Amino acid sequence: MLSSHLLDEVQRTCDAVAIVDRGSIIQQGPIAELLAGAPVALQVECSEPGRARALLAGTILGARIEAAPAALGLEIMLPAGTGRDVSAEVNRILVAGGISVDRLQPVQNSLESWFLQVTSRPGDLK
């Protein structure tokens, strides 16, 4: 048993975790299963991020994804359990729309980012 707030180390050391928030266990189980239920982020570096975002919003995918400006393009949030076919479809839509895609990469979920999602409450960050 290991008790730590260093979640990167916990993720590399342990197979399963229990997340305690305000003295109560709120989630527990194998790390891989817990992270599988998290939304998937997709980083897209492209020639025209603004137009890419508008192009994606006008498709069937637009209702299922959330695209936000990022340093070199877009960060797209996909629902938990989204398959690789959606990433391929994002790429196809952008290229067909005349947008040059330099990089399209899923972002690996970390235990720390997942922890922040399940323990954050509106108004906590002030």
Side-chain angles (χ1 to χ4, degrees):
M1 183 165 169
L2 169 68
S3 176
S4 178
H5 64 283
L6 302 173
L7 297 181
D8 185 51
E9 294 294 324
V10 169
Q11 186 171 357
R12 287 187 269 167
T13 306
C14 302
D15 296 321
V17 296
I19 301 297
V20 178
D21 186 30
R22 296 185 181 177
S24 298
I25 295 175
I26 60 168
Q27 295 274 340
Q28 67 180 6
I31 293 172
E33 287 181 20
L34 295 174
L35 294 181
V40 177
L42 186 64
Q43 288 181 338
V44 181
E45 291 180 13
C46 59
S47 59
E48 300 176 67
R51 197 163 74 77
R53 187 175 177 198
L55 186 62
L56 289 169
T59 67
I60 287 179
L61 280 180
R64 296 178 46 206
I65 65 174
E66 185 178 318
L72 297 173
L74 295 175
E75 181 170 284
I76 298 173
M77 294 304 293
L78 305 170
T82 299
R84 294 175 61 109
D85 58 325
V86 174
S87 298
E89 181 64 7
V90 166
N91 188 59
R92 187 197 67 73
I93 291 168
L94 296 179
V95 171
I99 295 172
S100 174
V101 177
D102 300 318
R103 183 173 72 116
L104 190 140
Q105 176 179 354
V107 177
Q108 183 68 31
N109 288 320
S110 71
L111 185 59
E112 184 171 356
S113 66
W114 177 82
F115 171 83
L116 292 172
Q117 289 173 7
V118 299
T119 61
S120 294
R121 293 169 202 75
D124 275 359
L125 299 175
K126 288 185 180 181

